[in-house]
Amino acid sequence: MDFIQLKIEKDSSITKYIKIIRKFDNSLSIKMIKQRIDENDFVMGFDLECYL
């Protein structure tokens, strides 16, 4: 099992990143995604085997 986690460095394109992440996983709120980016935390994680 391979677990992938995504961390995004804060910059001026945060809105673009949020839109892409929401297309991939709309269970995360925009507020939560932005908060995790601001705190330099992992934004999301998923099991790679689920997408093969």
Side-chain angles (χ1 to χ4, degrees):
M1 173 170 74
D2 295 315
F3 192 73
I4 306 297
Q5 290 184 302
L6 178 68
K7 187 181 277 192
I8 298 173
E9 189 172 315
K10 186 176 176 182
D11 65 12
S12 62
S13 299
I14 193 170
T15 306
K16 290 180 186 178
Y17 305 144
I18 291 172
K19 288 170 84 173
I20 293 168
I21 292 167
R22 292 274 297 161
K23 283 183 182 181
F24 185 78
D25 183 359
N26 62 2
S27 69
L28 293 169
S29 70
I30 293 170
K31 181 180 177 179
M32 179 60 69
I33 295 170
K34 185 177 182 322
Q35 179 182 357
R36 289 179 180 178
I37 292 172
D38 288 341
E39 294 174 356
N40 196 32
D41 196 4
F42 289 106
V43 176
M44 63 179 297
F46 59 92
D47 184 355
L48 185 59
E49 290 180 13
C50 292
Y51 295 95
L52 294 178

